[in-house]
Amino acid sequence: MYTHEDLNALRNQSLKLQGWIRQQTFSPEMEKTLRRFSSWEVSELIFRVNQSTFRGKLAADPTLPSGEVEPEGRQRWFSLEEVNELRRRLRVNRKSLMPPRPVGKRAIRAAVANFKGGAGKSTVALHLAHAAALDGYRVLVVDFDPQATLSHSMGLTDVAEDFTVWGIMARDLIRETERMNNRPAAAESGTALPRRELPPSITDMGLGDLRIADFIKQSSWSTIDVIPSCANAAFVEFASAQYRHLNPEWSFFAAVSRYLDQIPDDAYDLILFDCPPAIGYQSMNAVFAADMLYVPSGPGYWEYDSTTSFIGQLAEALEDLAYGFDKTLPTGKISLPKTFCELRFLLTRYEPGNALHLAMFDAFKKVFGDHVAEHPVEMTRAVEQSGRFLSSVYEMDYREMTRETWRRARSTFDNVYEEFRGVMLSAWDQLEDDA
């Protein structure tokens, strides 16, 4: 017979080697590092200019980054920092290579969410983050999933639960309770307002004193930061239920949104959420804070059925928030009832030669219309490898496989990102009166 004590012993045994096991998927130096990008990639795939034009620009200005030439090689290879310096300084046909960014607006927030495990949420979030970074945007990724797949893929393997979304929510509970307790002692009618008391087990953890930057970690990409997750943060659903009991007035669903509101508007361009495969306290925080919602789904009937169930339950949960909470409670830059600027359904693991997948793609479009992304994530050998090795196709060196295999995998995510970018810019335009 096995009790919770036996399960806890197995967990502790696993945690002792968890960091070591995870690090084995990274470089020999036990740290994930970002590769360099060839001049062919930089010119044709990142800047989208002719190689001869790119070489001419470099030759005309010796102060520009020139990259490195590997032994016995002719190709020049550039770091991401060098790519971004070139992007800032180069002009092609008198046009800047910087990506569009509305002036005076905060970062756009996008949530990748669905009920179904295995729908490709972390894979989609990872590739969107990397594609946006290569496009010149500054990205903050927030990992809401206790499985921490995205955090691990970003090179973060040793994360304490205090510095996850759970820590942000506990910090918010402490601060919101203090704010409520510091209100006037009585209303105009003379009726005393309730005073909420939090136990020392919460207030003595020091979370209320943590700074905004304490939750943000650097990734192996210089323009991508991460608010990571970890397996120890799985208890957040139980803890959040307890917190709501301690302070029923606490607008728990707005905790992460209030936190993000404190980050300077121009610190990032895109804030991307990877959600757990369930509707709970963490996913509701992600959905509430998001300006746009991306729903990945596999191309089968059961995935379609699960996606339908997800949006139905999400609608019910958002309706409960809209009518179950005092509208005067502070929710920051996002208000009730919750609205999304953009909504898209994205098919993943798609095989264009599969008759069932083609039929399901048509079914999705018939049901959800223009909300279905035109470009699904196609299943290729390189895409499959990227999931297995916790790396995006953008991180994979094309010399480790045939260039055609790599290009096909990259092109599917390039197409997905191009469409995502258009949706993002549309949502950004709608933020003008709300930011």
Side-chain angles (χ1 to χ4, degrees), residues 142-367:
V142 187
D143 192 351
F144 287 82
D145 193 346
Q147 295 178 87
T149 301
L150 187 60
S151 298
H152 186 204
S153 300
M154 288 289 181
L156 299 170
T157 59
D158 188 15
V159 178
E161 59 264 29
D162 286 5
F163 303 102
T164 65
V165 167
W166 170 77
I168 290 175
M169 293 179 67
R171 173 183 180 271
D172 185 78
L173 170 69
I174 295 169
R175 293 191 166 204
E176 279 296 287
T177 302
E178 289 177 350
R179 182 191 62 78
M180 293 175 185
N181 287 339
N182 288 333
R183 290 178 297 186
E188 289 185 7
S189 64
T191 303
L193 297 174
R195 182 174 180 83
R196 304 298 181 184
E197 297 293 343
L198 300 179
S201 59
I202 297 175
T203 57
D204 291 352
M205 289 189 296
L207 296 175
D209 298 325
L210 289 178
R211 302 164 300 173
I212 297 299
D214 290 335
F215 296 94
I216 300 174
K217 310 301 178 187
Q218 291 182 327
S219 75
S220 53
W221 290 60
S222 58
T223 51
I224 301 179
D225 288 339
V226 184
I227 296 176
S229 184
C230 67
N232 291 10
F235 65 87
V236 69
E237 297 300 317
F238 302 100
S240 299
Q242 177 193 12
Y243 297 163
R244 286 194 67 190
H245 176 73
L246 293 171
N247 186 352
E249 292 181 291
W250 176 49
S251 50
F252 69 92
F253 55 88
V256 173
S257 184
R258 277 190 289 262
Y259 166 83
L260 296 175
D261 288 347
Q262 298 172 64
I263 297 175
D265 288 349
D266 60 353
Y268 299 99
D269 305 308
L270 170 64
I271 301 179
L272 199 59
F273 307 146
D274 183 28
C275 301
I279 293 180
Y281 291 98
Q282 293 184 89
S283 56
M284 288 307 298
N285 261 272
V287 167
F288 181 78
D291 304 305
M292 47 190 285
L293 183 63
Y294 252 62
V295 184
S297 174
Y301 173 76
W302 296 115
E303 287 103 334
Y304 161 77
D305 192 51
S306 178
T307 297
T308 302
S309 175
F310 167 73
I311 59 174
Q313 294 192 40
L314 181 59
E316 291 177 2
L318 292 176
E319 184 179 15
D320 288 344
L321 294 185
Y323 297 104
F325 279 85
D326 184 350
K327 303 300 186 298
T328 63
L329 290 176
T331 54
K333 296 179 180 179
I334 307 292
S335 61
L336 289 171
K338 170 62 188 170
T339 60
F340 299 103
C341 297
E342 294 286 351
L343 169 65
R344 289 293 186 279
F345 296 88
L346 173 67
L347 259 64
T348 58
R349 307 195 318 277
Y350 180 75
E351 298 174 13
N354 187 311
L356 173 62
H357 292 190
L358 288 169
M360 289 307 301
F361 195 11
D362 287 339
F364 266 83
K365 288 191 287 187
K366 185 174 292 186
V367 173

Side-chain angles (χ1 to χ4, degrees), residues 119-134:
K121 292 184 292 295
S122 296
T123 299
V124 169
L126 178 69
H127 282 84
L128 289 178
H130 287 173
L134 287 178

Side-chain angles (χ1 to χ4, degrees), residues 20-235:
W20 178 83
I21 291 172
R22 287 184 170 183
Q23 287 172 337
Q24 302 315 300
T25 63
F26 297 156
S27 66
E29 294 79 18
M30 307 296 278
E31 181 180 352
K32 187 169 186 177
T33 56
L34 180 61
R35 69 177 179 91
R36 286 177 169 265
F37 301 91
S38 69
S39 56
W40 165 69
E41 289 178 89
V42 175
S43 59
E44 296 200 358
L45 300 182
I46 298 178
F47 293 161
R48 300 187 181 183
V49 300
N50 187 277
Q51 284 194 71
S52 60
T53 300
F54 181 60
R55 287 195 294 266
K57 293 285 185 181
L58 294 181
D61 187 350
T63 67
L64 291 171
S66 57
E68 294 181 356
V69 178
E70 296 183 349
E72 302 179 4
R74 299 175 56 190
Q75 189 91 254
R76 290 190 174 275
W77 295 80
F78 297 84
S79 67
L80 181 60
E81 291 79 7
E82 291 172 322
V83 170
N84 282 326
E85 183 177 350
L86 289 168
R87 187 194 309 278
R88 287 190 295 269
R89 296 177 58 184
L90 286 179
R91 298 183 73 85
V92 177
N93 297 325
R94 298 182 179 180
K95 293 183 178 179
S96 170
L97 297 177
M98 295 297 291
R101 210 287 191 198
V103 177
K105 295 185 181 179
R106 63 169 172 81
I108 195 75
R109 306 174 187 174
V112 182
N114 200 340
F115 234 5
K116 189 87 168 61
K121 292 184 292 295
S122 296
T123 299
V124 169
L126 178 69
H127 282 84
L128 289 178
H130 287 173
L134 287 178
D135 198 19
Y137 288 114
R138 299 157 302 159
V139 183
L140 173 64
V141 173
V142 187
D143 192 351
F144 287 82
D145 193 346
Q147 295 178 87
T149 301
L150 187 60
S151 298
H152 186 204
S153 300
M154 288 289 181
L156 299 170
T157 59
D158 188 15
V159 178
E161 59 264 29
D162 286 5
F163 303 102
T164 65
V165 167
W166 170 77
I168 290 175
M169 293 179 67
R171 173 183 180 271
D172 185 78
L173 170 69
I174 295 169
R175 293 191 166 204
E176 279 296 287
T177 302
E178 289 177 350
R179 182 191 62 78
M180 293 175 185
N181 287 339
N182 288 333
R183 290 178 297 186
E188 289 185 7
S189 64
T191 303
L193 297 174
R195 182 174 180 83
R196 304 298 181 184
E197 297 293 343
L198 300 179
S201 59
I202 297 175
T203 57
D204 291 352
M205 289 189 296
L207 296 175
D209 298 325
L210 289 178
R211 302 164 300 173
I212 297 299
D214 290 335
F215 296 94
I216 300 174
K217 310 301 178 187
Q218 291 182 327
S219 75
S220 53
W221 290 60
S222 58
T223 51
I224 301 179
D225 288 339
V226 184
I227 296 176
S229 184
C230 67
N232 291 10
F235 65 87

